[in-house]
Amino acid sequence: MTKHIFVTGGVVSSLGKGLTSAAIGMILEQRGLKISIQKLDPYINVDPGTMSPFQHGEVYVTDDGTEADLDLGHYERFTNTLLTENSNFTTGKIYQSVIARERRGDYLGRTVQVIPHITDAIKEAVHAGVPSDDIDVAITEIGGTVGDIESLPFLEAIRQFGLEADPKDVMYIHITLLPYLSASGELKTKPTQQSVGKLREIGIQPDVLVCRTEKPMTEEMARKISLFCNVRREGVIEERDVAFSIYEVPRDLVRAGLDMNICGKLGLPKEGITDLSRWEGMLQSIRETTRSIEIAVVGKYIELHDAYKSIYEGLSHAGISNQVKVKLRKLRAEDILEDGTAALEGAHGLLVPGGFGERGLEGKIAAIRWARENNVPFFGICLGMQCAVIEVARHLCGLEGAHTLEHSEHTPHPVIHLMESQKDVEDKGGTMRLGAYDCHLEAGTKLHELYGETEISERHRHRFEYNNAYKEQLEAVGLRASGVHPQLGLVETVELSEHPFFVGVQYHPEFKTSPLKPHPIFDGFVAAGLEYSKSRNPNILVPQQSNV
């Protein structure tokens, strides 16, 4: 029988529920348990695919083509579970399914209501998130904050879920905040008390409180929280802000005894230890790293860190592998266009991520030209690859006015054009080329060297594609189409043969990277940045043997 853990949050948003849920999954896996993990989001959009990155952050894409919340990235980076369309449900998706049933007449003339119809659909979603009978523990994160109107149906549904199941099969973990008031020099417990009070009004009694704090929680404070929130003392867990890396969270939660709390409540075996030895080795590598390089990231949504969350994590993972700290130089593409490329000087690599819309496009192209002409390592993702094709077409092929049809309908040289399968698509949501597709890498290319194989699969999210009509001209000046979709002949990767590292990919490799297994392109890009740094500073420190 699968056990269920429900993770809720209170006091404020952005407490790190997704990160904590991922850490819980990782801890359970290290105890030899098989887990699944999903997120229920209270917003009405069917998925985040049509939402602005400034509002929502990045859109994460799974192998099966689901556009999902960015917390799913944490889940896959921390655990070995493979996520699907059943790993992320929104209010919009739930209501859409209920309304479709009503239109079919499935409810036999009954009045459709939040209780029981919406809550039943939410419970069905929780069950759907368990992909097989051999899952030991299913973790479900509830988005939003306790007390929000939009979260109420989800909280009511998980209350019912616990009521209908064996008490030893369901556990509630509530993440809350202990704010520190500098004026009085103390942590305050009242917001936590009120948050738990709201949860208990709904009918949910948390089994564990994970208390986010920037200062140490005293024993007296923990006992006070235990007394006023009706949670046993051992269930009051401190989750202090980490010093070096978010990857310290699982270790800190184990030290606080969360693994034993979960095993005790769910009747799981307590024997043995939670083996974090490889994880500890990785953390030690992060702490001991003395070298650093700086990567310039030129993007459209640079003001919001979460807009490129997986990309930044991919660079971090590659830094761990190469024993170098990767510092980020975040630059707005519009500023490059307006102020020139001086802001790029001194960077050891340039990464241009994806995006939509014309704003900042010419700034990205100017930055790519700077990297190409100065032999600075370059890595372009999705629109970043397309901008590289445009740049080479204009400045090496001499195709004046070369552009993408996405932003220039009358360009004389549409080196990027709309995919054939997208020409009759009118709806915006969930209609792009989404999910995992095969790619054949040409032997002897940089991409083949990085992957170590010729047949790969990567996740996509785009409508526009490299125009094969210009392939011969582009390859004549050295821009090699090194990776192609085997069935349709779509160009998926490009690289400059005479450049130390100039790689563009149409897909999103940032969705398939983890701290213990960095993505090969990110790994190679950071290694190239390190080599470039050495060429400018021959006295750079040599790393000690890695512990990873």
Side-chain angles (χ1 to χ4, degrees):
M1 179 67 68
T2 300
K3 312 282 187 176
H4 287 266
I5 297 175
F6 294 102
V7 181
T8 58
V11 184
V12 295
S13 59
S14 301
L15 273 180
K17 293 193 302 298
L19 184 57
T20 303
S21 299
I24 291 169
M26 180 266 194
I27 289 168
L28 294 176
E29 283 189 339
Q30 298 312 303
R31 294 191 63 80
L33 298 167
K34 188 170 183 180
I35 67 115
S36 66
I37 189 165
Q38 68 175 176
K39 183 173 185 183
L40 306 183
D41 268 312
Y43 54 76
I44 298 176
N45 303 66
V46 173
D47 59 50
T50 58
M51 296 167 68
S52 166
F54 284 122
Q55 281 207 356
H56 185 269
E58 75 175 4
V59 176
Y60 194 79
V61 178
T62 59
D63 265 7
D64 66 359
T66 300
E67 293 177 294
D69 185 83
L70 62 84
D71 277 335
L72 273 70
H74 288 310
Y75 303 165
E76 287 200 329
R77 287 189 285 271
F78 276 74
T79 73
N80 296 311
T81 186
L82 182 64
L83 304 180
T84 69
E85 63 177 346
N86 292 325
S87 302
N88 194 195
F89 285 86
T90 66
T91 293
K93 197 172 179 180
I94 295 293
Y95 273 77
Q96 188 180 59
S97 68
V98 171
I99 291 170
R101 293 177 186 178
E102 186 274 333
R103 292 290 83 188
R104 289 196 305 265
D106 291 1
Y107 296 114
L108 301 176
R110 287 173 291 173
T111 301
V112 179
Q113 298 176 293
V114 172
I115 302 173
H117 303 104
I118 297 299
T119 52
D120 282 352
I122 294 171
K123 287 183 286 183
E124 289 172 9
V126 172
H127 285 297
V130 183
S132 60
D133 293 337
D134 62 344
I135 297 296
D136 297 305
V137 182
I139 302 165
T140 300
E141 175 194 348
I142 309 298
T145 306
V146 170
D148 292 346
I149 292 173
E150 55 263 36
S151 297
L152 287 174
F154 291 94
L155 296 173
E156 170 60 20
I158 66 171
R159 181 196 70 80
Q160 294 176 18
F161 197 101
L163 189 66
E164 296 162 0
D166 188 304
K168 271 196 168 291
D169 289 340
V170 176
M171 181 178 190
Y172 300 100
I173 296 177
H174 188 57
I175 302 173
T176 183
L177 176 69
L178 297 179
Y180 176 74
L181 299 184
S182 56
S184 59
E186 59 182 342
L187 293 170
K188 306 302 288 186
T189 66
K190 190 64 70 177
T192 291
Q193 294 176 42
Q194 295 197 348
S195 172
V196 173
K198 279 285 184 186
L199 201 57
R200 292 172 68 188
E201 285 177 15
I202 295 165
I204 297 173
Q205 171 61 53
D207 300 293
V208 167
L209 292 178
V210 176
C211 302
R212 287 295 313 279
T213 173
E214 59 181 291
K215 301 289 183 181
M217 179 175 64
T218 65
E219 178 60 26
E220 179 185 2
M221 185 170 295
R223 291 188 179 280
K224 180 179 179 181
I225 293 170
S226 168
L227 179 65
F228 281 90
C229 296
N230 197 35
V231 175
R232 296 182 67 88
R233 166 61 189 91
E234 60 268 24
V236 180
I237 302 292
E238 177 187 279
E239 188 180 46
R240 205 183 316 170
D241 293 352
V242 292
F244 294 101
S245 166
I246 60 172
Y247 300 112
E248 295 177 87
V249 172
R251 180 204 62 194
D252 292 349
L253 291 176
V254 169
R255 287 179 177 177
L258 182 59
D259 52 344
M260 290 298 102
N261 264 279
I262 293 172
C263 290
K265 175 62 176 71
L266 296 179
L268 298 168
K270 286 189 173 183
E271 296 78 18
I273 63 169
T274 304
D275 184 9
L276 299 181
S277 54
R278 287 193 69 212
W279 205 260
E280 287 282 9
M282 179 263 292
L283 293 175
Q284 183 179 348
S285 177
I286 294 174
R287 287 192 299 269
E288 294 179 351
T289 296
T290 56
R291 305 181 300 171
S292 67
I293 61 170
E294 191 170 16
I295 299 297
V297 180
V298 176
K300 293 183 57 176
Y301 318 114
I302 218 73
E303 295 92 335
L304 181 66
H305 185 83
D306 280 353
Y308 300 121
K309 182 68 175 176
S310 292
I311 286 175
Y312 297 150
E313 290 304 307
L315 290 170
S316 170
H317 302 162
I320 296 169
S321 173
N322 286 279
Q323 292 185 273
V324 61
K325 180 177 177 59
V326 179
K327 297 180 179 179
L328 302 174
R329 187 186 299 184
K330 302 177 184 179
L331 300 171
R332 294 172 70 246
E334 299 98 307
D335 292 343
I336 299 295
L337 179 61
E338 295 171 8
D339 304 329
T341 58
L344 294 165
E345 294 298 331
H348 304 118
L350 168 68
L351 190 151
V352 177
F356 296 91
E358 189 174 6
R359 179 176 59 83
L361 190 77
E362 293 298 334
K364 290 184 175 186
I365 293 170
I368 292 167
R369 183 178 187 180
W370 171 85
R372 178 179 60 79
E373 293 180 344
N374 290 281
N375 284 325
V376 177
F378 163 73
F379 182 15
I381 297 174
C382 197
L383 180 61
M385 168 190 148
Q386 296 176 5
C387 287
V389 172
I390 294 169
E391 193 280 319
V392 169
R394 289 180 183 178
H395 303 120
L396 291 184
C397 292
L399 301 177
E400 186 176 349
H403 218 299
T404 167
L405 286 177
E406 184 177 7
H407 307 307
S408 180
E409 294 182 7
H410 305 295
T411 172
H413 299 292
V415 291
I416 305 296
H417 66 162
L418 186 64
M419 297 176 63
E420 193 66 33
S421 61
Q422 292 286 320
K423 289 183 177 178
D424 296 324
V425 173
E426 296 182 1
D427 289 348
K428 298 294 184 185
T431 57
M432 285 187 273
R433 186 183 186 220
L434 294 166
Y437 288 90
D438 294 335
C439 175
H440 173 76
L441 299 175
E442 188 177 340
T445 60
K446 172 65 73 173
L447 270 299
H448 175 228
E449 175 192 334
L450 293 173
Y451 279 93
E453 53 188 320
T454 56
E455 307 305 321
I456 63 169
S457 174
E458 293 283 1
R459 300 176 188 178
H460 293 248
R461 185 174 183 254
H462 63 104
R463 299 185 194 278
F464 288 79
E465 178 66 59
Y466 177 108
N467 188 344
N468 279 321
Y470 290 89
K471 185 176 179 181
E472 186 175 336
Q473 288 173 272
L474 290 164
E475 291 202 324
V477 296
L479 189 67
R480 194 172 182 178
S482 54
V484 176
H485 183 266
Q487 285 77 40
L488 300 178
L490 303 174
V491 172
E492 309 283 30
T493 72
V494 297
E495 55 187 77
L496 267 181
S497 306
E498 301 302 320
H499 193 282
F501 193 102
F502 191 100
V503 168
V505 297
Q506 185 58 67
Y507 48 80
H508 289 268
E510 70 270 25
F511 296 150
K512 296 182 73 171
T513 178
S514 68
L516 294 178
K517 189 179 180 182
H519 191 282
I521 304 181
F522 279 92
D523 198 29
F525 175 57
V526 168
L530 186 57
E531 286 301 313
Y532 180 77
S533 174
K534 288 178 182 178
S535 71
R536 297 169 63 87
N537 180 15
N539 297 319
I540 191 167
L541 292 172
V542 177
Q544 297 180 357
Q545 185 66 33
S546 172
N547 292 306
V548 178

